[in-house]
Amino acid sequence: MADILDQAVAALRRMPAADRESMAQAILPVTQGSPTLDIEPDHLPFVLEGLAQLDRGEFTEGDPEDLISAAFRRHLR
């Protein structure tokens, strides 16, 4: 497990500062036992489908760091 954590921390450290800040804002509430998941009702079917894809082992191809950075830039403006 530590290996995955080390990889995640290393990936975060390579991200641009603004993206690291966004990730920290998303991660800290979870680590403190109070995750905030404010999902718009219209978005819920898409979130559930994404989770189902993860359960089936279906992943997006591409550099994970680029995909995460793009997602946070798009959704945390």
Side-chain angles (χ1 to χ4, degrees), residues 24-74:
Q25 289 175 0
I27 293 169
L28 281 176
V30 174
T31 65
Q32 297 166 351
S34 58
T36 56
L37 299 175
D38 296 330
I39 300 170
E40 296 289 329
D42 292 345
H43 297 168
L44 185 58
F46 302 105
V47 172
L48 293 174
E49 175 55 27
L51 293 172
Q53 289 173 357
L54 286 172
D55 284 341
R56 293 190 300 264
E58 299 170 1
F59 300 97
T60 303
E61 291 185 20
D63 180 25
E65 291 176 44
D66 291 342
L67 295 169
I68 292 168
S69 294
F72 274 92
R73 280 194 302 275
R74 191 170 51 248

Side-chain angles (χ1 to χ4, degrees), residues 9-25:
V9 170
L12 286 169
R13 290 184 195 278
R14 290 188 300 268
M15 295 173 77
D19 293 335
R20 284 195 313 264
E21 179 72 20
S22 296
M23 290 295 290
Q25 289 175 0

